[in-house]
Amino acid sequence: MDFELSSRARAEHARLRALGETVAALPADERLPALAAAGVLGLSLPVDHGGGGLDLVATAHALAG
């Protein structure tokens, strides 16, 4: 099994690291809506259904920070 991340998965990880800094500065009640608006909650959903289309390994890596 190949666990090498695609360039897209690495870019998503970098995007989420930067987003994390922004979201961490928000009040607690604004964090989840901000993450949802940025598409974080649907990373592993198929693109056809409005998700990010990442596989589970890439999703875990993106969220690991």
Side-chain angles (χ1 to χ4, degrees):
M1 184 175 275
D2 180 16
F3 290 107
E4 185 68 29
L5 295 172
S6 68
S7 60
R8 180 173 176 263
R10 287 190 298 274
E12 191 65 19
H13 181 257
R15 179 183 81 88
L16 293 180
R17 285 186 61 86
L19 177 65
E21 294 175 14
T22 302
V23 171
L26 294 173
D29 63 333
E30 294 179 20
R31 291 178 187 167
L32 188 59
L35 292 171
V40 175
L41 304 182
L43 290 177
S44 63
L45 296 176
V47 174
D48 297 350
H49 296 282
L54 295 180
D55 62 46
L56 293 178
V57 172
T59 299
H61 185 266
L63 296 175

